[in-house]
Amino acid sequence: MVWSTPITAVSNAVFTAAQWNQSVRDNLLETGPAKATSAGWILVTNGSHSIEAREIIDDVVEGQASTTSLTFTALSGSPGPEVTVTTGRKALVIMEARSATDTAGSSGFAGLAISGNTTVAATLARSIRVESEVADQDYRYMVSDLYVTNPGENTFTMVYRTSTGGTPTSTFRQRRIQVIPL
Amino acid sequence: MAWNAPITVYSGSVVTASDFNMYVRDNLLQTGPAIATQDGRILQAIGSHALVEREVLSETIDTAETTASALYTDLATVGPSVTVTTGTRALILMTAEMNNNTAKGGTRASYAVSGSTVSNASDDKALSHTSAVANTQMRFGSAIMETALVAGSNTFTMKYKVGAAHPGTGTFRNRVLVVMAF
């Protein structure tokens, strides 16, 4: 069922069951209380005269893991963090990570890959970047972006790499991802 | 029209066309689905018994551009910039990759507001990066909740400068501005 503009009642006119069902029952079933299913979700618009409840979701991986990869990859033994959530055509993503690289002048990158109904590869341009001025210099940073998604179930996964030049090892810990689907 | 607390009907009472129009039709026209016009917006309370849909918008500029200004200024490509209708609040999420070509040189990225609200970029709402080693690159962001906006159409524009103590030339790239209107 969909929303329809409720009728304007007229004095002495017969109010039919069909009118009640369309203008009252069906419209009430499109409102917030009808859509709400779980605490903490938000109500977003899903098009003209349509709303949906969306789950705000996050995942955290505290553990420390390293990589020498020059392409984005999961950390061995400590993948993620990762969330799977139903989105509309946009999702606000906030990532945080602590990073240190064992070679002065080299960088660690924490990026985002999207899979499921949407495919987006991690890129340097959208990643957290921590360049070590001295070996093992350690920072914890956040980045955010509004991603275009295909509606439906999408998985957001943090992935990691180090920078070119020498053989640096980048270490990551206290990694968090938060997704607000719209 | 506005929301009215729905009447309580008693056995034997007559519900008039006027009652239907005020307590059913007009109230339904204040609900989420009646207000929703496009997908990807958030439903928010705008006051007692009143809802509005608010946008979440972003702009990205990846091009590396420079400034040697110790006062907040535009780069060759102005922005990123987002214009959105807000109430008195908005969540501002900035991300940028920054470096300075001078040892101990600082780089700062903030935002100015124009339109219904006028406020300048300032250090208390800025990304800030100062490195002991020249050209150390970091990409990171911040989240700031503006709570004293003038309701209406507001434009948020990122601005940039270098630190005054060791100015040098700052380079800014991969810049993202996300605004969630409230």
Side-chain angles (χ1 to χ4, degrees), chain A residues 45-47 54 87-91 118 146-152 154 181-182, chain B residues 38-40:
Chain A
T45 60
N46 195 36
R54 297 274 190 235
T87 78
R89 294 200 293 158
K90 290 190 288 190
T118 310
L146 190 63
Y147 286 86
V148 174
T149 54
N150 295 319
N154 289 293
L182 301 173
Chain B
Q38 299 180 37
D39 65 324

Side-chain angles (χ1 to χ4, degrees), chain B residues 34-156:
Chain B
I35 293 167
T37 60
Q38 299 180 37
D39 65 324
R41 299 181 173 188
I42 299 177
L43 290 175
Q44 299 174 8
I46 198 175
S48 178
H49 303 306
L51 300 179
V52 69
E53 58 172 7
R54 293 281 191 223
E55 293 184 276
V56 182
L57 298 177
S58 71
E59 187 177 51
T60 299
I61 299 175
D62 284 327
T63 309
E65 294 176 333
T66 63
T67 185
S69 172
L71 298 175
Y72 282 107
T73 188
D74 295 319
L75 302 178
T77 307
V78 175
S81 183
V82 171
T83 298
V84 65
T85 299
T86 76
T88 59
R89 298 178 176 226
L91 178 64
I92 315 302
L93 299 157
M94 293 187 292
T95 306
E97 185 169 345
M98 310 191 288
N99 65 277
N100 192 301
N101 69 353
T102 302
K104 300 183 183 179
T107 48
R108 314 277 184 271
S110 179
Y111 63 90
V113 188
S114 60
S116 293
T117 311
V118 177
S119 69
N120 296 324
S122 60
D123 288 348
D124 66 334
K125 51 184 185 182
L127 304 175
S128 178
H129 168 44
T130 300
S131 55
V133 175
N135 291 315
T136 300
Q137 298 185 74
M138 302 289 191
R139 186 170 189 269
F140 60 100
S142 70
I144 298 165
M145 178 65 87
E146 288 275 356
T147 60
L149 299 172
V150 176
S153 179
N154 286 296
T155 298
F156 302 82

Side-chain angles (χ1 to χ4, degrees), chain A residues 64-67 75 98-102 108 136 169-173:
Chain A
Q64 173 180 317
S66 302
T67 185
L75 296 177
R98 181 176 161 192
S99 174
T101 301
D102 66 356
D136 298 319
T169 299
S170 293
T171 300
F172 302 88
R173 70 199 83 186

Side-chain angles (χ1 to χ4, degrees), chain B residues 17-29:
Chain B
S18 176
D19 290 334
F20 181 91
N21 293 336
M22 178 179 290
Y23 298 113
V24 180
R25 181 197 67 184
D26 291 351
N27 279 350
L28 281 172
L29 289 173

Side-chain angles (χ1 to χ4, degrees), chain A residues 3 5-12 15 20 23-24 27-28 30-32 42-51 88-90 92 94 107 109 124-134 137 139 141-146 180 182, chain B residues 16-18 20-21 24-25 28-29 31-43 53 56-58 60-62 91 93-95 97 128-143 173-176 178 180:
Chain A
W3 171 272
T5 302
I7 60 166
T8 296
V10 177
S11 292
N12 299 315
F15 186 63
W20 171 271
S23 283
V24 181
N27 280 347
L28 285 173
E30 293 296 318
T31 64
I42 58 173
L43 293 173
V44 303
T45 60
N46 195 36
S48 180
H49 300 306
S50 178
I51 66 173
R89 294 200 293 158
K90 290 190 288 190
L92 175 61
I94 301 169
S107 299
F109 299 88
L124 296 175
R126 294 292 166 266
S127 295
I128 297 168
R129 178 178 186 173
V130 176
E131 181 173 337
S132 294
E133 295 179 88
V134 297
Q137 191 172 39
Y139 289 93
Y141 283 149
M142 68 158 274
V143 298
S144 60
D145 204 347
L146 190 63
I180 302 175
L182 301 173
Chain B
T16 66
S18 176
F20 181 91
N21 293 336
V24 180
R25 181 197 67 184
L28 281 172
L29 289 173
T31 64
I35 293 167
T37 60
Q38 299 180 37
D39 65 324
R41 299 181 173 188
I42 299 177
L43 290 175
E53 58 172 7
V56 182
L57 298 177
S58 71
T60 299
I61 299 175
D62 284 327
L91 178 64
L93 299 157
M94 293 187 292
T95 306
E97 185 169 345
S128 178
H129 168 44
T130 300
S131 55
V133 175
N135 291 315
T136 300
Q137 298 185 74
M138 302 289 191
R139 186 170 189 269
F140 60 100
S142 70
R173 63 179 66 79
N174 303 329
R175 302 167 265 154
V176 178
V178 181
M180 180 180 287

